[in-house]
Amino acid sequence: MRIPTVAALLSLVVILDGRSSGSGVQFSDVTQASGITFRHAASKTSVKFLPETMGGGVAVFDADGDGRLDLFFTNGAAIDESTSSNRPPDKSNPRYWNRLYRNLGGWKFEDITERAKVAGTRYDFGVAAADYDNDGDIDLHVSGFGGNTLFRNEGNGTFTDVTAAAGAEVSGWSSSAAFVDYDHDGRLDLFVGRYLAWTWESNIVCMAADGATRAYCHPRHFSPVSNVLLRNNGNGTFSDVSDATGIARHPGKALGVAIHDYDRDGFIDLFVANDSMQQFLFRNTGAATFREVGLTAGLAYDDDGRSFAGMGIDVEDYDNDGWPDVFVATLSLERYALYRATGDGRFEYVSHAAGIGRATLQHAGWGTKFVDFDNDGRRDLFIAQSHVLDTVSRSRQGFDYLQPPLMLRNLGSSFTDVSASLGPVFARPAAGRGAAFADLDNDGDMDIVVANLDGPPVLLRNDGGNADHWLSVKLRGTRSNRQGIGAVVTVVDDRNRTQSGICSTSSSYQSASDPRVHFGLADAAKVRRIEVRWPSGITQVLTDVATNQVLEIIESASKPQ
Amino acid sequence: MTLRLVLVVLTLGQDCQQAQKLARTAYDERRYDQAAAHFAHAVTACGASSPLLLALGQAQLLAQRPADAIAALDRVPTDSAEYVPALKVKAKALYLLARDAEAEETLKRAATRAPSDAEIPYSLGRMYYQQGRHAEAAASFRQATTLDPRDYKAWDNLGLASEALGDVAQAQQHYLKAISLVYKDHPGYDVVYANFADLLIKLGNFQRAFDLAAEAAQRNPGEPRNFFLGGKALLQTGRSDLSVRWFEQAIKLNPDYPEPQYQLSLAYRKLGRIDEADRMLKSFQAAAARAPKERR
């Protein structure tokens, strides 16, 4: 064995400077001038009911079909120390309503909640958005405590609660959800992640580390619950296929949900970020069933086999090798988890090697996405942050409840923290929870909306991210579901650089993003080849496409290859 | 009547000495249950002197009887020389009983009485660290190193606390300081080499991490963590076949240690030994299920 000398060890000291430039891009907080007056209301109590700290989500979607992306925010409800199953949360006061804002253009929004009839009735958390009935307008699923709501878009600016009529009722506490066509029949099914077995009556007294302050309880005090998969029957109704598909066999504590075809077998798989237990990867067998393979795929734990608090999640190919990778935002001291696909249906934990571990030791993250904010052709990582315990700084010196958002710039095989260079909002501590992503002003760069807990949301306009070239791919399915959700788009630019992305609205935390697949193309003047692998099995190829445009691709009538 | 009294006193005297001798022997041989029983007998036979009560408390603590230890230590008079040592042992007993606030208060009381005793801020630091109060832990360890600049355990733990606070550059400096103190003078101290190896693995410096883990393993071949870290570093450098032996040794030393089993399954898989990888994953799951959720 070689024994290092002290002198040799001295050479090991690494002075780390985690901050570097972010390509001149600035994110401007345009909330105040936008007309958005929504303020999330957690209705915090002295007894620290667990729902109070989970926050809400945000959906970016075109509610009225005018071509502009509108915003929907979920909200809590009035609760107090005496809230119980018999005295449930009260959402009647408008301050607790969910809110829908219509995009008027020019970063101006108008509250259309009442007219649209989407105020809700429960203490709500998550939102999923997609055209589940293939009628050309985007519907909403809202997750809540004690039930969920499926809002069908009537196409006239209003929504109808069709939960019961559609057989889409989900009991308990649901968090993130995903519209996904798991059986490839051209209709979007609905996967609903459920958090844990908690009731107003089962709330217990938990104390902070100082022994004197009451705190939110650790999820280990409550049992896991199974997730729910609802199959779209094609006639406006759903059937619960959780048992038949194997989903119900794996109780978890779901907070984040994402979809992707991780093994490129043509079938969409489901990723579930679980809180303080193993993470789930439901592999689609192609026979309308799922196998939970998180452990054997190397995704269940960190590199030592330890579980962590999985909260927000995204699945995309960050290293442009053609295989989707996985990011999970976690709690302080756990380090955010980055898993790189190894190309054989497995993943390796690369948080340390990629610099993520070093940059995120004391952070706690929720809403997140691989998003190429500077169009340099590499997907970066955005994370909305905040500790889960609002008492943490009182009991643990050096820990902050409110934390500014984080942007980790992709350098190829590693990431570096560029938050400080992106504008004052990245220095402003907040209780970030949900986050959704879209090019809200269609100027070629990705904007961000963050839903803060017990406070106003933040609209982050990307200024300067479009200095490099880009392409935004909008899909319209014909055999596949109308939005092409689940399709994988691969582009090869004129410099022979290849990127791929999934068409999905679901990832992050309790939020829904724009399904257009955005590619930053750096200095490429042209896209040489675009390949779309539709959920129907059809592969469609386009060649020689101009950059700097939103390109709509309609699914061809070709037979599946 | 007088003769009987003298005989009783003589018998008690012999009994007292015998009990103390038996207690010391059992203590030295790490038979703490028996040591505690003999010390308890000695207290009865010799009288409840402060040194005996302190020894009894120490033995009871090591025999995993913290409540009994606290009862014995509470009998140590506040004006005796053993009072501060008794407070230090009592704090450990309170911490084992998860009475953290009382343990902290006890140590602070000891610090007031013995402000130059480096062991007290060190113990406070350990407790803070375990509670995740890393800034307070770092301050306590720093105080310990100020009081005793050659306290290598304090430097080592200051490295751990700095690492937890995200200051890896400082952490490395503190580990190096600890290594400079133990390098020749404390050949049996392995922990700092393992801690530093762990950090370097996180920083991606796998070859150096392996060197440190190897040194730790040489210093303490009975510590499974040293072999786990060595194997982990080897696996990261692509030497999967070599890493297997290190993980196997860690598991042999502690079959209930889940982490090396997880890493060994990864190594087997990289080597194409899929059946063994699957078996090891199952073994890992069983070990993880058995592992305590919280260690004190």
Side-chain angles (χ1 to χ4, degrees):
Chain A
M1 286 177 190
R2 286 199 297 148
I3 300 172
T5 64
V6 175
L9 290 169
L10 276 168
S11 67
L12 297 179
V13 177
V14 180
I15 306 299
L16 294 164
D17 175 13
R19 309 242 159 188
S20 65
S21 166
S23 302
V25 176
Q26 291 285 294
F27 280 91
S28 302
D29 179 355
V30 296
T31 320
Q32 203 163 13
S34 70
I36 291 176
T37 56
F38 171 74
R39 187 182 176 90
H40 180 265
S43 193
K44 292 189 172 185
T45 68
S46 63
V47 295
K48 300 282 182 188
F49 285 128
L50 205 48
E52 298 167 20
T53 193
M54 305 315 290
V58 52
V60 182
F61 74 113
D62 185 0
D64 53 4
D66 66 355
R68 295 194 188 105
L69 292 170
D70 309 299
L71 299 176
F72 177 82
F73 298 96
T74 65
N75 204 351
I79 56 174
D80 60 30
E81 286 72 6
S82 62
T83 297
S84 67
S85 301
N86 295 325
R87 197 174 168 279
D90 179 4
K91 211 176 176 81
S92 58
N93 187 323
R95 68 181 292 226
Y96 295 107
W97 290 359
N98 305 324
R99 291 284 172 178
L100 177 59
Y101 285 92
R102 179 167 173 257
N103 189 341
L104 304 173
W107 290 91
K108 300 291 182 191
F109 291 83
E110 171 195 15
D111 188 337
I112 57 167
T113 308
E114 280 191 275
R115 192 167 77 222
K117 301 175 189 167
V118 289
T121 57
R122 294 187 181 83
Y123 199 113
D124 288 324
F125 300 105
V127 56
D131 181 8
Y132 79 86
D133 50 4
N134 285 332
D135 66 351
D137 49 41
I138 311 301
D139 313 290
L140 288 179
H141 174 269
V142 178
S143 307
F145 182 80
N148 61 325
T149 311
L150 182 63
F151 287 111
R152 187 182 65 209
N153 191 331
E154 300 298 352
N156 59 3
T158 68
F159 290 76
T160 303
D161 178 351
V162 296
T163 320
E169 291 161 311
V170 174
S171 63
W173 181 342
S174 50
S175 53
S176 293
F179 283 106
V180 54
D181 180 10
Y182 80 94
D183 53 0
H184 297 250
D185 63 357
R187 297 186 284 262
L188 286 172
D189 312 295
L190 179 59
F191 178 88
V192 182
R194 293 199 297 179
Y195 186 30
L196 39 68
W198 183 93
T199 64
W200 305 103
E201 288 75 21
S202 68
N203 195 50
I204 56 176
V205 177
C206 297
M207 305 304 285
D210 65 358
T213 312
R214 189 153 180 184
Y216 296 108
C217 290
H218 192 280
R220 68 170 173 266
H221 295 291
F222 308 101
S223 302
V225 289
S226 59
N227 301 301
V228 174
L229 182 59
L230 300 172
R231 181 175 181 273
N232 189 333
N233 298 321
N235 58 0
T237 68
F238 290 82
S239 299
D240 188 336
V241 293
S242 313
D243 286 319
T245 54
I247 291 292
R249 277 203 291 273
H250 302 278
K253 296 180 181 179
L255 286 179
V257 174
I259 66 168
H260 213 308
D261 178 12
Y262 83 99
D263 51 4
R264 304 201 314 203
D265 64 354
F267 299 101
I268 301 297
D269 313 293
L270 303 170
F271 298 77
V272 180
N274 283 316
D275 192 358
S276 303
M277 58 174 287
Q278 71 197 79
Q279 312 301 298
F280 287 161
L281 165 51
F282 289 106
R283 180 176 175 270
N284 190 332
T285 64
T289 60
F290 289 88
R291 280 186 57 225
E292 200 289 294
V293 298
L295 184 63
T296 51
L299 266 183
Y301 301 103
D302 71 6
D303 58 337
D304 285 340
R306 294 181 187 145
S307 62
F308 51 79
M311 301 197 287
I313 187 169
D314 194 32
V315 185
E316 274 292 11
D317 176 16
Y318 79 86
D319 55 358
N320 294 333
D321 66 352
W323 295 92
D325 312 293
V326 179
F327 178 77
V328 185
T330 68
L331 204 53
S332 302
L333 298 180
E334 294 177 334
R335 301 174 178 87
Y336 297 163
L338 179 66
Y339 297 91
R340 192 181 72 82
T342 52
D344 56 355
R346 289 182 46 78
F347 297 85
E348 62 179 352
Y349 181 92
V350 293
S351 290
H352 301 313
I356 300 276
R358 205 158 51 220
T360 64
L361 180 68
Q362 289 204 288
H363 300 237
W366 304 79
T368 186
K369 191 169 180 61
F370 286 108
V371 56
D372 184 358
F373 76 92
D374 54 1
N375 283 347
D376 68 350
R378 294 175 180 144
R379 286 194 174 86
D380 313 293
L381 270 169
F382 174 89
I383 305 105
Q385 304 191 116
S386 154
H387 202 280
V388 70
L389 301 175
D390 57 1
T391 51
V392 69
S393 53
R394 262 183 275 165
S395 54
R396 289 188 173 181
Q397 198 181 334
F399 286 76
D400 296 316
Y401 170 59
L402 303 178
Q403 298 177 10
L406 179 69
M407 185 73 86
L408 297 170
R409 185 162 188 239
N410 186 343
L411 303 177
S413 58
S414 65
F415 290 80
T416 190
D417 181 354
V418 294
S419 310
S421 70
L422 297 177
V425 74
F426 280 86
R428 200 166 69 215
R433 292 294 187 271
F437 305 82
D439 181 2
L440 274 162
D441 50 5
N442 293 319
D443 67 347
D445 52 34
M446 294 296 283
D447 310 295
I448 302 170
V449 187
V450 179
N452 290 320
L453 182 141
D454 223 20
V458 181
L459 266 72
L460 295 175
R461 189 186 65 209
N462 185 330
D463 295 329
N466 54 4
D468 270 340
H469 295 176
W470 55 277
L471 178 71
S472 182
V473 179
K474 182 179 182 179
L475 300 178
R476 195 202 299 174
T478 52
R479 285 170 178 254
S480 303
N481 66 83
R482 189 179 170 105
Q483 288 179 282
I485 285 177
V488 176
V489 182
T490 303
V491 300
V492 183
D493 66 25
D494 58 5
R495 305 295 179 99
N496 270 336
R497 292 174 298 215
T498 303
Q499 296 180 59
S500 62
I502 179 95
C503 174
S504 169
T505 60
S506 303
S507 70
S508 188
Y509 172 71
Q510 299 189 154
S511 298
S513 296
D514 183 10
R516 289 181 296 180
V517 188
H518 181 92
F519 296 99
L521 295 168
D523 56 351
K526 191 170 68 173
V527 172
R528 203 160 51 75
R529 186 175 192 272
I530 302 177
E531 178 189 284
V532 183
R533 282 190 289 126
W534 295 87
S536 62
I538 290 172
T539 298
Q540 189 171 352
V541 175
L542 288 78
T543 54
D544 293 332
V545 174
T547 61
N548 296 354
Q549 63 163 325
V550 178
L551 175 72
E552 185 171 41
I553 301 178
I554 299 172
E555 187 175 16
S556 65
S558 313
K559 288 181 181 174
Q561 293 179 344
Chain B
M1 190 65 181
T2 310
L3 181 63
R4 278 184 68 187
L5 188 60
V6 170
L7 283 172
V8 167
V9 170
L10 282 174
T11 306
L12 279 175
Q14 286 174 346
D15 199 19
C16 164
Q17 287 176 359
Q18 179 68 7
Q20 287 193 63
K21 188 178 171 190
L22 288 170
R24 301 275 175 219
T25 304
Y27 191 94
D28 290 344
E29 293 173 357
R30 298 185 178 188
R31 292 180 284 111
Y32 299 118
D33 262 329
Q34 291 169 35
H38 290 307
F39 275 126
H41 187 65
V43 167
T44 306
C46 314
S49 69
S50 296
L52 270 182
L53 288 170
L54 176 60
L56 172 61
Q58 281 173 321
Q60 286 170 327
L61 178 65
L62 291 168
Q64 301 292 315
R65 290 163 48 195
D68 291 338
I70 291 166
L73 296 162
D74 276 344
R75 295 168 64 190
V76 176
T78 56
D79 58 354
S80 76
E82 284 74 25
Y83 181 61
V84 168
L87 286 176
K88 291 195 279 190
V89 179
K90 182 184 171 184
K92 288 177 186 166
L94 287 165
Y95 181 70
L96 272 180
L97 290 169
R99 291 159 62 180
D100 292 16
E102 291 170 80
E104 184 179 346
E105 189 274 328
T106 301
L107 282 171
K108 285 179 174 171
R109 197 156 16 117
T112 307
R113 292 285 290 263
S116 59
D117 185 341
E119 190 191 339
I120 298 169
Y122 173 80
S123 298
L124 260 175
R126 285 297 306 164
M127 200 173 66
Y128 290 144
Y129 184 81
Q130 294 294 336
Q131 292 172 345
R133 296 160 67 180
H134 297 128
E136 291 158 281
S140 295
F141 293 133
R142 196 166 286 115
Q143 188 188 352
T145 59
T146 304
L147 291 170
D148 179 4
R150 298 193 63 78
D151 186 342
Y152 55 91
K153 287 185 182 177
W155 283 111
D156 183 10
N157 280 274
L158 184 54
L160 276 178
S162 301
E163 192 181 331
L165 288 168
D167 192 344
V168 292
Q170 276 292 307
Q172 290 179 86
Q173 296 284 7
H174 298 319
Y175 289 142
L176 287 169
K177 175 68 181 174
I179 286 173
S180 73
L181 292 169
V182 304
Y183 184 58
K184 285 181 181 166
D185 296 343
H186 302 276
Y189 190 74
D190 59 315
V191 185
V192 65
Y193 289 92
N195 288 339
F196 200 0
D198 202 2
L199 173 60
L200 289 180
I201 288 171
K202 289 169 193 159
L203 294 177
N205 198 339
F206 304 119
Q207 182 56 53
R208 302 285 190 180
F210 173 73
D211 292 342
L212 287 159
E215 169 67 7
Q218 193 176 55
R219 285 170 170 250
N220 185 358
E223 174 53 56
R225 181 179 177 232
N226 298 336
F227 291 93
F228 162 61
L229 291 169
K232 196 172 163 184
L234 282 171
L235 186 62
Q236 292 292 332
T237 56
R239 286 173 286 178
S240 307
D241 49 343
L242 282 178
S243 76
V244 166
R245 276 189 264 165
W246 285 71
F247 293 133
E248 285 175 344
Q249 181 62 16
I251 297 163
K252 186 178 168 189
L253 289 168
N254 182 2
D256 288 332
Y257 190 6
E259 285 88 346
Q261 301 185 39
Y262 187 77
Q263 287 279 337
L264 182 53
S265 76
L266 298 179
Y268 281 146
R269 201 168 292 278
K270 284 194 173 180
L271 291 166
R273 295 158 66 175
I274 304 303
D275 289 346
E276 288 167 284
D278 290 342
R279 269 200 301 277
M280 191 47 61
L281 264 188
K282 287 198 175 84
S283 175
F284 153 75
Q285 285 178 297
R290 287 194 302 271
K293 300 296 174 220
E294 186 180 20
R295 292 177 201 273
R296 281 187 176 263

